[in-house]
Amino acid sequence: MTRTPLTATAIIAEAADLADEAGFDGVTLSAVARRLGVQTPSLYSHVRDRAALLDGITALALSELADRVAVAIAGRADRLALHGFAEAHRAYSLQSPGRWQSLQRRAGAAAVESSAARSFVALTDALLRGYGLPPEERVHATRLIGSTINGFLALEAIGSFDHSAPAPEVSWRKTLDALDALLMTWSTDAQNRTP
Amino acid sequence: MTRTPLTATAIIAEAADLADEAGFDGVTLSAVARRLGVQTPSLYSHVRDRAALLDGITALALSELADRVAVAIAGRADRLALHGFAEAHRAYSLQSPGRWQSLQRRAGAAAVESSAARSFVALTDALLRGYGLPPEERVHATRLIGSTINGFLALEAIGSFDHSAPAPEVSWRKTLDALDALLMTWSTDAQNRTP
DNA sequence: GGGTTTTGCCTAATGCCTGTAGGCTGGGAC
DNA sequence: GTCCCAGCCTACAGGCATTAGGCAAAACCC
């Protein structure tokens, strides 16, 4: 009556599901073991320790998100690509809050050097190339877009928008429009803004 | 030989210092007790439990940050006020990373209803009034500014900018300039951007 | 000023979690 | 059929949160 043979991948997948249900800090080796119908120490044959398990969730989430973003911006340019990029992030953060939360922390070396991370850089760069941004401005634009999107989703996730009307969606649309407008004009007047 | 008489305030202050040194999740009742030269259970006479202690740190941080922001934007308008507002946040996040981190999570009722929270709303509103934003647009602008600033500082804090040049400061300046430009034009063309 | 109450820190103890050490077993290799 | 070993198990050693109850000194009351 062997269940799933208990591999590192299976453990991390279960942990990711748990993260979505119980929050990222709710991810505990004992809880994962319980869900898998196994004793806690059995997990140590497959994952080094709790930190490694959490890093595994981060790597998984990064790769899942990169895939979604790739699909969302494929064959699109400018405004549509930006919206696809942003909506992919938002959908992920809303559907898989725990996985998404795993990305909001200092990533371990494994995640940083993963192919998903490189994928991300390439995707964002492609997005910005479409806007005609000069290469040396792309880092800053990347950082700005990342800050705004992640920042919005983070504030939404912790309920910062719960105490004021209207619904976050309205602000979200305006935010994306603002980003789009900004990128449109960036190439023409970025250089004389900051001397 | 009574040291400091051990009050809730003293405990929370010590916990906040610990958070800055060991990270917010490093804040543990035992560690705080050790630092105060006291046994762990002794803390329970003053704080209900660990969650209450963490909420205390959040409330403290919120109030400290509100004070700094108030000073930073006093007597300034527009671009200068925005820069003051943003720099106050950034300085706080760099000088007191643990306290700042305590703000990046779902706040307890105590913090939400604190006078510092109300202070924040008022300060941001004042900032935006200076830009001549129509009242119904202020929520969205507030959310956008908050998203971008917090998002940038969060990414900087977790080291997302460590693997690309140039230094974050350059992107930070460009980000603030972009926000300023955005707010400048918001009042004139916000309404025809999102129908 | 002496007795009493109150306050505030203490020790003791429980339960959950991480992480290590070592035992048992069942299925594949030969 | 026997041997080997991968893989899960039990046992155990800390560390932390939290509760219960003791004790001593300060505060208070008359």
Side-chain angles (χ1 to χ4, degrees):
Chain A
M1 194 169 105
T2 38
R3 294 260 171 215
T4 324
L6 201 61
T7 65
T9 327
I11 294 173
I12 290 171
E14 193 68 43
D17 289 348
L18 172 60
D20 287 336
E21 293 168 26
F24 187 69
D25 343 279
V27 175
T28 176
L29 281 169
S30 347
V32 173
R34 254 191 309 272
R35 286 168 72 106
L36 290 168
V38 153
Q39 295 301 316
T40 311
S42 308
L43 300 181
Y44 283 88
S45 316
H46 305 279
V47 295
R48 188 154 17 92
D49 53 10
R50 182 163 185 261
L53 179 67
L54 300 185
D55 281 351
I57 300 180
T58 301
L60 172 65
L62 195 63
S63 127
E64 287 179 354
L65 182 55
D67 286 351
R68 289 187 180 215
V69 167
V71 171
I73 72 176
R76 296 184 172 169
D78 299 353
R79 192 166 178 287
L80 280 180
L82 178 66
H83 274 249
F85 182 90
E87 288 298 345
H89 274 80
R90 184 149 190 260
Y92 196 69
S93 85
L94 294 178
Q95 287 164 19
S96 309
R99 286 164 152 89
W100 185 80
Q101 209 181 339
S102 81
L103 298 172
Q104 312 306 118
R105 53 192 265 285
R106 185 157 235 118
V112 170
E113 294 151 11
S114 70
S115 74
R118 251 172 292 123
S119 222
F120 243 98
V121 175
L123 287 168
T124 320
D125 222 53
L127 178 66
L128 294 177
R129 225 177 310 116
Y131 273 102
L133 274 186
E136 75 274 12
E137 293 291 332
R138 283 193 208 140
V139 210
H140 306 300
T142 301
R143 289 171 174 176
L144 172 53
I145 294 176
S147 297
T148 305
I149 292 180
N150 270 290
F152 190 98
L153 299 178
L155 290 185
E156 186 177 22
I158 67 174
S160 296
F161 300 153
D162 290 355
H163 302 290
S164 57
E169 279 74 23
V170 187
S171 304
W172 176 245
R173 253 181 292 129
K174 281 173 186 280
T175 297
L176 294 188
D177 288 337
L179 278 182
D180 177 59
L182 182 66
L183 290 175
M184 282 301 206
T185 59
W186 194 311
S187 55
T188 65
D189 59 12
Q191 57 277 17
N192 42 14
R193 222 186 262 138
T194 309
Chain B
M1 197 167 103
T2 39
R3 296 255 169 217
T4 324
L6 200 62
T7 65
T9 327
I11 294 175
I12 289 171
E14 192 67 43
D17 288 348
L18 172 61
D20 287 336
E21 292 168 26
F24 186 68
D25 339 285
V27 175
T28 178
L29 282 170
S30 346
V32 173
R34 255 192 308 273
R35 286 169 71 108
L36 290 168
V38 154
Q39 296 300 317
T40 310
S42 306
L43 300 181
Y44 282 87
S45 316
H46 305 279
V47 296
R48 187 155 19 89
D49 53 10
R50 182 162 184 263
L53 177 66
L54 299 185
D55 281 352
I57 300 181
T58 300
L60 172 65
L62 195 64
S63 126
E64 287 178 355
L65 182 55
D67 285 351
R68 290 187 180 214
V69 167
V71 170
I73 71 176
R76 296 184 172 168
D78 300 353
R79 191 167 178 287
L80 279 181
L82 178 66
H83 273 248
F85 182 89
E87 287 299 344
H89 275 79
R90 184 149 190 262
Y92 196 70
S93 84
L94 294 177
Q95 287 165 19
S96 308
R99 287 163 150 91
W100 185 79
Q101 209 181 340
S102 80
L103 298 172
Q104 311 308 116
R105 51 191 267 285
R106 184 157 238 119
V112 170
E113 294 151 11
S114 69
S115 74
R118 252 171 290 120
S119 220
F120 244 97
V121 175
L123 287 169
T124 319
D125 222 53
L127 177 65
L128 293 177
R129 226 178 308 115
Y131 273 101
L133 274 186
E136 74 275 13
E137 292 291 329
R138 282 191 209 141
V139 210
H140 307 300
T142 301
R143 290 171 174 178
L144 172 55
I145 294 177
S147 297
T148 304
I149 292 181
N150 270 289
F152 190 98
L153 299 178
L155 290 185
E156 186 177 22
I158 68 175
S160 296
F161 301 153
D162 289 355
H163 302 291
S164 57
E169 278 74 22
V170 187
S171 304
W172 175 246
R173 252 181 293 130
K174 281 172 187 279
T175 298
L176 294 189
D177 287 338
L179 277 182
D180 177 58
L182 183 67
L183 290 175
M184 281 302 206
T185 59
W186 193 313
S187 55
T188 66
D189 61 11
Q191 55 279 16
N192 42 12
R193 222 187 263 139
T194 310

